[in-house]
Amino acid sequence: MTTNALADRECAPGPRPAASAISDSELARLLPDEPRYRRDQVRRGIYDGAARGFDQITSLPRILRERLDMALAFSSISPDRVRVAGDGTRAFLFRTADDTIFETVQLPSERGTATTVCVSSQAGCAMGCTFCATGTLGLTRNLSAAEIVDQFLHVRRESRAGGAPDRIVFMGMGEPLANTANVHDAIEALVDPGRGGLGARHVTVSTVGLPAGIAELTRWPWQVGLAISLHAASDDVRATLVPLAKHVDLATLMASSVAYQRATRRRVSYEYTMLRDVNDHVGQARDLARLVDGQTCHVNLIPFNPFPGAAYEAPSAGTTRRFRDELLRHGVAATIRRTRGREIAGACGQLRADGAIWRRRSQGAAPARNVS
């Protein structure tokens, strides 16, 4: 290969860019002397193979593998630990080049062998929701588009023997719509047929309710899903749970949601964490039914998942069923989410990327096993 952009990249100072951050046009500039089929082989090796490094993409000539390895980082993240729950849920602790740590969860599906990857968009979170373990951490930083994409790619490589993921939800650590530029670029890569290859309808973005972010999501060219963390049907109760609600009232949030529904013709999912004696009364179910009346929506009731220091408890199963039944009686589609990964603190609201906590988990929770 003659001197070209790849050689220039080899000599460039600073960290190597992540392979998943390289677009098709950038790859062409990086490899101007390589034919298209060779660039396609590189792309497939990065996005759709079992290789864990350029040296394992055996369809490429050895010299090209070596030069790619010098110019690009095969992944922007490295796995630190993996925990597996009895129900098949897997929680991954990842570490970035600057030693930032965060969590990702792979959720088994009741549809068969396919699974869902619950990705993080930030390390920590600035939203401070009082019922969420991640909210107690504060925000470390936004994750880059490559760091988001590489979560999915790592899980897919690890799942080649079975349970390959076919869905992705932005419901891990962080507020996706507080990191819209990187989330946008990550989704663009994930749904590109030549890269991630996911169907856009298999991608869901969850938000605590940032109207400007919802409006931006509405303008994106892909039919991705929207989930809104609601948790209460009155401003006073919601403000005790979600600090953002002190600045964004329910009327404003509902207007944003309805605008999304009308523009995209897609159903919104409202996430509602059930908290004992806080938001679980049948009367509050009626208030919720009135709040979403006429909307194209679904209410997802989530039994609270406790974590150390939590100020809340989960209501009884009977209370949760009565709440759901009241919604159904008023014509609101509602289901109760099945809790997964609780014994490894991988369930909804439990993610807290802390090395000491992971060590304590390894010493307890017998049903889980550490496979790192």
Side-chain angles (χ1 to χ4, degrees), residues 15 26 29 56 72 128 133 161 174 180 253 278 347:
E26 289 171 328
R29 289 196 296 272
Q56 296 182 14
L72 302 172
T180 50
L253 179 56
V278 176

Side-chain angles (χ1 to χ4, degrees), residues 4 69 195 237 355:
N4 56 26
D69 192 50
R195 291 189 278 174
V237 174

